[in-house]
Amino acid sequence: MASSSDPWVKEYNEAVKIADDINAMISERSYLPASGPETQRHASAIRRKITILGTRLDGLQSLLSRPAVKPLTEKEMNRRKDMIANLRSKANQMASAFNMSNFANRDSLLGPEIKPDAMSRTAGLDNSGLVAEQDEDLEQLEETVVSTKHIALAVNEELDMQTRLIDDLDYHVDVTDSRLRRVQKNLAILTKRTGGGCSCMCMLLAVIGIVILVVAIYLLIKYL
C-alpha cells in the first residue's frame, strides 16, 4: 500500500475530495428552483469544479509517466491507472450531465497532452546535468500547457453561462417594453375617447404604468 506522504497519493486524495464536493453540490440542486439566475449560477459553479477535477486527473496521469525515485511495481502502477480511470469515468458522467461536451474531448481543443519520456530523451547522452535541467523545463512547460488548457475550458463554460443570462435578460426587457407600449396605446385611445375631461384619470394611469415599469426593471436588475 502506498504511503500517504507519496505526492501522487496526496494529489489523488485531493481529486477525490473535489469529486465529493461536486456530488454534494449536485445534491443541493434539488433544493433550488427548476430554473432562474440562482440555479444557473449554481450550475456554473459545478462546471468550474468539474473542470478543476479534470486538471487534477491530468496531473495524476502526468505524475505516473515521470520517472520516480522509487520505481513502482507493475501491480501498483496498474492499480493507480485503474484509480485514475474510475475517477475520470465519474468526472465524465458529471460533465455529461451538465452538457460539458468539451470535457470528454479536451484533446480536440488544444491538442493532445505532452507525455515526456525522460528515459528515451536521456539515453545515450553524456551531459546528464544539462539533460536533467531540460527535463525540468519540459515538465514545467507541460504543467503550464495543461493549466492553460483547462483555464480556457473554464472560461468557455463561463462565457456560455453569461450568454444564456444575457439572452434571458433581453427576453424580459422585450416583454416589459411590449407591455409599456400597450399601456401607452391604451392611454392614447382613452384620451381620444374621453377628450380633456379625464385628464386626471389619464395622468393617474400614466403614473401607474411608469411605476409598473420601474418595478419590473428593478426586479430584473435584482435577480439577474
Side-chain angles (χ1 to χ4, degrees):
M1 185 71 179
S3 171
S4 59
S5 62
D6 187 328
W8 190 93
V9 175
K10 289 183 177 179
E11 285 292 321
Y12 179 79
N13 290 337
E14 286 293 327
V16 171
K17 184 178 183 302
I18 293 173
D20 291 340
D21 290 343
I22 295 171
N23 285 326
M25 294 174 71
I26 292 175
S27 299
E28 291 173 2
R29 294 184 70 201
S30 60
Y31 300 100
L32 296 175
S35 60
E38 183 180 359
T39 302
Q40 291 178 334
R41 284 192 293 268
H42 189 75
S44 181
I46 294 176
R47 290 189 181 95
R48 285 194 294 271
K49 278 277 191 179
I50 294 175
T51 301
I52 293 172
L53 177 58
T55 303
R56 291 280 187 173
L57 291 173
D58 287 343
L60 287 169
Q61 188 66 48
S62 178
L63 283 174
L64 283 183
S65 67
R66 299 174 187 172
V69 177
K70 183 179 179 181
L72 299 174
T73 63
E74 182 178 357
K75 180 179 179 181
E76 178 64 16
M77 178 67 74
N78 291 333
R79 186 182 75 88
R80 294 188 179 190
K81 288 180 179 179
D82 290 340
M83 292 166 67
I84 295 175
N86 291 335
L87 195 55
R88 190 180 295 278
S89 176
K90 294 178 182 178
N92 288 338
Q93 291 176 3
M94 291 185 289
S96 177
F98 286 85
N99 298 320
M100 296 175 64
S101 58
N102 287 334
F103 184 87
N105 301 301
R106 292 188 300 275
D107 290 345
S108 64
L109 180 63
L110 296 176
E113 297 172 4
I114 301 170
K115 299 293 184 180
D117 187 351
M119 295 301 294
S120 62
R121 288 201 307 269
T122 57
L125 295 178
D126 296 330
N127 195 341
S128 59
L130 177 61
V131 172
E133 184 178 353
Q134 291 175 342
D135 288 345
E136 291 179 3
D137 291 340
L138 287 174
E139 289 175 0
Q140 292 177 359
L141 177 61
E142 176 191 3
E143 293 174 357
T144 301
V145 170
V146 171
S147 176
T148 302
K149 178 189 297 185
H150 290 290
I151 289 173
L153 288 169
V155 170
N156 180 63
E157 293 292 339
E158 186 65 25
L159 286 174
D160 289 342
M161 177 67 181
Q162 295 299 327
T163 299
R164 288 192 292 270
L165 288 174
I166 291 173
D167 290 341
D168 193 38
L169 177 61
D170 286 342
Y171 169 76
H172 287 291
V173 169
D174 289 340
V175 171
T176 302
D177 182 66
S178 177
R179 290 175 179 172
L180 178 60
R181 290 178 183 275
R182 285 199 300 269
V183 170
Q184 291 175 334
K185 183 178 179 180
N186 292 334
L187 285 174
I189 294 174
L190 183 61
T191 301
K192 290 181 179 179
R193 289 180 178 177
T194 59
C198 296
S199 58
C200 293
M201 180 63 68
C202 292
M203 290 179 62
L204 178 61
L205 292 176
V207 170
I208 292 174
I210 293 173
V211 170
I212 293 174
L213 177 61
V214 170
V215 171
I217 294 175
Y218 171 76
L219 291 177
L220 285 174
I221 294 175
K222 180 178 179 180
Y223 293 103
L224 295 178

